[in-house]
Amino acid sequence: MKTQLILLTLLTSVFAPQIQAQDRTIINASNSEISDNLDLRAVASIFGDSNDLQDFERRLNDPNQQISNLDLNNDGQVDYLRVIESVQNQTHLIILQAVLDGDEYQDVATIEVERDNYNNVHIQVVGDSYLYGQNYIYEPVYYNTPLIYASFWLSNYRPYNSIWSWNYYPSYYYGWNPLAVFRYRYNIRNSLNGYNQYNYVNYRRSNLAVNMYNSRSSNGYERQHPEYSFSRRNSDVNNRYELDQRRNTRNVGSRNEGVYSQIRNNYQQRTQPQRDYSQNRTENPRVNTPQRTQPQGNYSQNRTENPRVNAPQRTEPQRNYSQNRNETPRVNTPQRTEPQRNYSQNRTETPRANNPQRTESRGNNSQSRNSSSGENSSSSRNGDRR
């Protein structure tokens, strides 16, 4: 028993660290590609649905929506994103900063809203070059005019600056563990407003916004970890958009796509002999088709000629018979009607002639009966007198 217990303790001491390490790798949702953890289209979507910048900051950090999945300081919780604004003339620059530590912030994206002389509003959501590469920009086209535009160009408008900082957050916010990348993408697909359009561009409209940003930028995380920049993480592409294009063409990062490629290869191998057989089958009917059609064409001609010759022979006696039939009833009709009329006359004459005879006989009989009865009565009376 003691030896078994000793062996069990040794085994647990050897395999326990490995099991814990495996658990940590499963629980840890961090990804080497930082830009996968914040979708700028989702940022543009909730910006168009917000009433003001305070409401936009609340939606950006809502634990129920989970728009962000960034954990730059690797503390196991998604970083809080604060919103600060800078305004000059008709241009509004809105900066999204991740709160990493006391007085340490990292810019993740900017929203540049500008109105031209024709009162047309242009908006661009620009990803930070450290996270997304150069000129990673989306221009949203909103189905309805956002309510947030209503207060931007008021005479008494004051730029918005978040009051929240490290360990000082609003009551609705609480930290949550980062999601796996595939779960985060699924969550973002459900969060996007499908009525809007999100167009990718690679140029910035407002030069004034660029100058304004240079005076308000914060890059604390970039200074500490310059090796994590997008250009070093992905040296063969310029920004996140080109990376997505490269992923789609190479089918990188998908386990199912490897299986699909094998299925497609097997399908092509199976379909090749089938295509050869189909070609052979189609060639034979092409050769035999004219041979079969020639006698069929001759037979059809012969068949059609015979009925054409016989048709008048059959129709001629039928027409003669019909004429004969029509003539006979016409001749016989008066013969049948004449004796019927004679019979009717004879029948009518006889009752007329017999009626008086019958009446007379009846009269005579009645008279004879009366006379006989009178005679009998007189004879009976004479007998009584006697």
Side-chain angles (χ1 to χ4, degrees), residues 160-314:
Y160 178 81
N161 288 294
S162 177
I163 61 174
W164 311 111
S165 60
W166 177 254
N167 287 332
Y168 182 66
Y169 304 119
S171 59
Y172 63 84
Y173 173 79
Y174 61 87
W176 66 89
N177 296 327
L179 300 174
V181 175
F182 71 94
R183 292 184 60 187
Y184 173 71
R185 290 176 180 173
Y186 179 79
N187 181 45
I188 290 302
R189 284 197 297 268
N190 295 329
S191 301
L192 290 176
N193 190 339
Y195 294 100
N196 303 330
Q197 296 180 3
Y198 310 96
N199 302 322
Y200 170 77
V201 296
N202 57 2
Y203 60 91
R204 300 179 77 166
R205 288 182 177 271
S206 177
N207 294 324
L208 180 59
V210 175
N211 297 328
M212 294 167 60
Y213 175 71
N214 293 330
S215 60
R216 299 292 303 271
S217 62
S218 297
N219 56 355
Y221 185 76
E222 181 180 357
R223 290 195 304 269
Q224 293 181 3
H225 304 282
E227 69 278 6
Y228 293 159
S229 64
F230 186 88
S231 59
R232 294 189 180 183
R233 297 195 311 267
N234 304 280
S235 59
D236 53 347
V237 293
N238 293 323
N239 57 18
R240 170 61 191 271
Y241 182 79
E242 294 182 2
L243 178 62
D244 290 338
Q245 298 298 317
R246 185 69 60 85
R247 286 175 174 178
N248 292 331
T249 55
R250 292 183 178 180
N251 297 325
V252 177
S254 177
R255 296 178 182 178
N256 294 328
E257 289 175 356
V259 178
Y260 294 153
S261 63
Q262 293 178 359
I263 294 172
R264 290 174 183 174
N265 293 328
N266 294 329
Y267 178 75
Q268 292 176 356
Q269 292 176 1
R270 291 178 182 177
T271 53
Q272 285 177 357
Q274 292 178 359
R275 291 179 180 175
D276 295 332
Y277 294 143
S278 62
Q279 292 175 359
N280 293 327
R281 290 178 182 175
T282 54
E283 290 175 357
N284 293 327
R286 290 179 182 175
V287 175
N288 296 327
T289 301
Q291 295 178 359
R292 292 181 181 177
T293 54
Q294 288 177 357
Q296 290 178 357
N298 296 327
Y299 293 149
S300 62
Q301 292 177 359
N302 294 327
R303 290 178 182 175
T304 54
E305 289 174 357
N306 293 327
R308 289 180 183 175
V309 175
N310 296 326
Q313 294 177 1
R314 292 180 181 176

Side-chain angles (χ1 to χ4, degrees), residues 49-119:
D49 296 335
S50 302
N51 298 324
D52 50 24
L53 289 180
Q54 185 177 2
D55 184 27
F56 171 65
E57 185 176 1
R58 182 188 64 81
R59 293 171 183 266
L60 193 62
N61 296 282
D62 189 356
N64 296 322
Q65 294 188 7
Q66 296 183 356
I67 299 300
S68 175
N69 199 47
L70 285 172
D71 182 16
L72 296 178
N73 56 6
N74 294 322
D75 61 351
Q77 293 183 353
V78 174
D79 301 329
Y80 184 86
L81 299 180
R82 72 170 190 172
V83 177
I84 60 175
E85 183 186 18
S86 178
V87 180
Q88 186 174 350
N89 297 332
Q90 302 294 322
T91 303
H92 289 250
L93 175 67
I94 303 160
I95 304 173
L96 279 62
Q97 294 180 344
V99 180
L100 304 179
D101 202 348
D103 296 332
E104 184 178 352
Y105 307 97
Q106 174 61 45
D107 297 341
V108 294
T110 60
I111 301 175
E112 301 171 2
V113 183
E114 188 175 43
R115 186 177 67 175
D116 58 14
N117 296 327
Y118 301 98
N119 292 328

